[in-house]
Amino acid sequence: MPLRAKVASSVSRTAAALSRAAGRGDGSVIGGWIGLKIDPELLTHLAAGRSVALVSGTNGKTTTTKLTVAALEGLGRVATNAFGANMPTGHTSALAKAGTTPFAVLEVDEHYLARVLDETQPRVVALLNLSRDQLDRAKEVAMMAQMWRTALAAHPGVHIVANADDPMVTWAALASPAVTWFSAGQRWHDDSWVCPECGGAIERAHGDWRCTNCPLRRPKPDWVVEEDGVIDPTGAWHQVHLQLPGTVNVGNAATALAVAAQFGVRPADAVKRLGAVTSVAGRYAQVERDGRLIRLLLAKNPASWLEAFDMAEVAPTLLSINARDPDGLDTSWLFDVDFAPLRGRRVLITGDRAYDLAVRLQVNGVAFEHVTSFADAVAAVPPGRLEVIANYTAFQDIRAELDRVN
């Protein structure tokens, strides 16, 4: 690297380490921010010489990135932004901290995909899904799909691994000449009833979809989730033993296997490594506190709340909602979530915007109790399991109370 980049990288690592030592966080943003101030091209310099995979989408990025890292580690050391800092500052900090590695797998915020494509020149990009998120500052879903499509068209040499079940992702990925399709199912449909190509209606039946007005339709997938396993392009079925809950994570595992295959990793070898992943930056972590077995689930938008309800056991459940800048300041999205699966269980609510959540639950006919803190919630339930579902900053607050469990 040029001398300026070397100095910037060194300062980035030092700043991140000082942040961690001071208890101000894991240093995954501040190090990259300072490094890029010294050398605006630092991310490009740090990515050079590595085989890079990018993972983007509205939901599942952090988990899929962690699973992909596990799948690739049989080939050598893998740099990654393990704590979910998914903008260029986080990517820069992660690569600077990792030092020299042959591989990197980076989670990328969907808004920054075009920039990170330009700066890292990846070998593979995985596109998971597109749905509504952070309504006060995020782009409308079709606009995001258009941004992706334009960015991918500018990088025809990048191999795309894309979700065939999401019409928005499919349309964006079709701009690339090299696409591997996976099918993991799509439970949330409310952002893809209108064709992004022509505006016609999307028709769905038996897991398939097509536009009723133009040729856009679901591609034939190369990788398919079937029950608790994944079928690869040769037709071989691989059972997936995960320690992570929910059917959605079998789909994330299928994506990881498809990405790893582009690096020459055999599915039979990769699938063995996926079972070693137990939690992801606190997501799915289980902690014992005062006789309660507490499990943490992150849900930040309607699609991810739908999946969280699928993962949560029928047990006392704490819901926590904030509306700080990283969450988005608008909580109207709560009315896009159907909370009916929580009926019949004990539900507690907390967080900065607990009263907004209270109104939504009352409309949905879900009984609840308000508590002023996470500690009060733990004290209010009997010994046994406590499920915790929280949006981003609320999740981080609770994770901090549990000693930043990973």
Side-chain angles (χ1 to χ4, degrees):
M1 290 192 297
L3 178 59
R4 184 175 182 176
K6 290 179 180 178
V7 171
S9 181
S10 178
V11 172
S12 172
R13 289 193 297 271
T14 301
L18 289 172
S19 176
R20 290 191 295 272
R24 300 296 296 273
D26 53 38
S28 57
V29 173
I30 187 64
W33 185 84
I34 293 174
L36 288 168
K37 287 293 183 184
I38 298 170
D39 180 3
E41 297 183 354
L42 182 57
L43 180 56
T44 299
H45 292 309
L46 289 169
R50 306 184 207 240
S51 290
V52 178
L54 305 181
V55 178
S56 195
T58 309
N59 295 306
K61 297 184 292 292
T62 307
T63 301
T64 303
T65 297
K66 183 70 175 284
L67 292 170
T68 304
V69 169
L72 287 181
E73 282 180 328
L75 298 180
R77 292 178 59 235
V78 183
T80 188
N81 49 337
F83 295 105
N86 56 24
M87 299 178 192
T89 50
H91 305 141
T92 302
S93 185
L95 296 184
K97 179 182 176 183
T100 303
T101 67
F103 305 102
V105 181
L106 301 174
E107 168 192 346
V108 183
D109 180 278
E110 54 269 35
H111 295 76
Y112 286 86
L113 182 60
R115 173 179 167 182
V116 179
L117 266 167
D118 290 340
E119 296 188 10
T120 64
Q121 296 297 310
R123 181 170 175 174
V124 185
V125 173
L127 305 177
L128 307 182
N129 44 62
L130 282 173
S131 66
R132 66 192 71 177
D133 191 38
Q134 299 181 346
L135 299 179
D136 59 316
R137 62 188 178 93
K139 288 181 173 58
E140 192 272 333
V141 176
M143 292 175 65
M144 187 61 63
Q146 179 64 71
M147 284 179 58
W148 276 11
R149 186 177 172 93
T150 302
L152 297 176
H155 293 271
V158 177
H159 193 96
I160 309 302
V161 173
N163 184 359
D165 295 324
D166 188 324
M168 294 295 178
V169 169
T170 297
W171 182 73
L174 285 171
S176 176
V179 185
T180 294
W181 302 101
F182 68 87
S183 171
Q186 185 194 30
R187 288 158 55 88
W188 178 262
H189 294 157
D190 284 5
D191 292 305
S192 54
W193 288 113
V194 176
C195 175
E197 176 67 26
C198 72
I202 295 290
E203 182 180 79
R204 288 183 169 86
H206 310 297
D208 201 3
W209 62 265
R210 68 179 185 89
C211 175
T212 57
N213 193 55
C214 78
L216 185 67
R217 64 174 304 144
R218 178 177 179 263
K220 185 173 187 271
D222 304 288
W223 298 77
V224 179
V225 170
E226 186 175 273
E227 297 180 349
D228 59 347
V230 177
I231 300 174
D232 71 21
T234 71
W237 181 79
H238 306 274
Q239 188 166 22
V240 176
H241 293 287
L242 295 178
Q243 297 190 59
L244 306 180
T247 55
V248 66
N249 281 320
V250 181
N252 291 335
T255 312
L257 294 175
V259 172
Q262 293 302 313
F263 289 82
V265 180
R266 297 189 316 127
D269 296 330
V271 76
K272 299 172 186 175
R273 296 179 171 274
L274 304 186
V277 178
T278 57
S279 68
V280 181
R283 297 158 174 83
Y284 323 113
Q286 299 193 65
V287 181
E288 189 169 349
R289 176 67 60 91
D290 299 331
R292 283 77 170 172
L293 184 61
I294 302 165
R295 179 166 59 176
L296 304 182
L297 299 173
L298 174 68
K300 57 182 182 174
N301 51 45
S304 59
W305 277 86
L306 186 66
E307 299 297 346
F309 295 151
D310 178 59
M311 298 179 199
E313 294 184 11
V314 179
T317 302
L318 173 67
L319 310 179
S320 185
I321 294 292
N322 290 343
R324 303 172 194 168
D325 188 62
D327 308 302
L329 305 181
D330 181 358
T331 60
S332 64
W333 61 268
L334 288 168
F335 282 83
D336 293 330
V337 181
D338 180 9
F339 288 90
L342 298 179
R343 291 174 187 159
R345 76 177 71 180
R346 187 176 180 188
V347 175
L348 302 94
I349 64 171
T350 192
D352 299 348
R353 303 298 285 269
Y355 292 160
D356 293 2
L357 178 58
V359 172
R360 178 68 188 100
L361 292 175
Q362 188 172 34
V363 170
N364 226 162
V366 177
F368 62 89
E369 308 163 45
H370 177 238
V371 293
T372 57
S373 68
F374 171 67
D376 288 346
V378 174
V381 300
R385 179 173 288 280
L386 172 64
E387 299 281 12
V388 176
I389 309 175
N391 72 338
Y392 186 74
T393 64
F395 181 91
Q396 297 302 336
D397 288 348
I398 293 170
R399 180 173 166 237
E401 290 197 46
L402 296 173
D403 302 319
R404 299 193 67 81
V405 60
N406 286 322

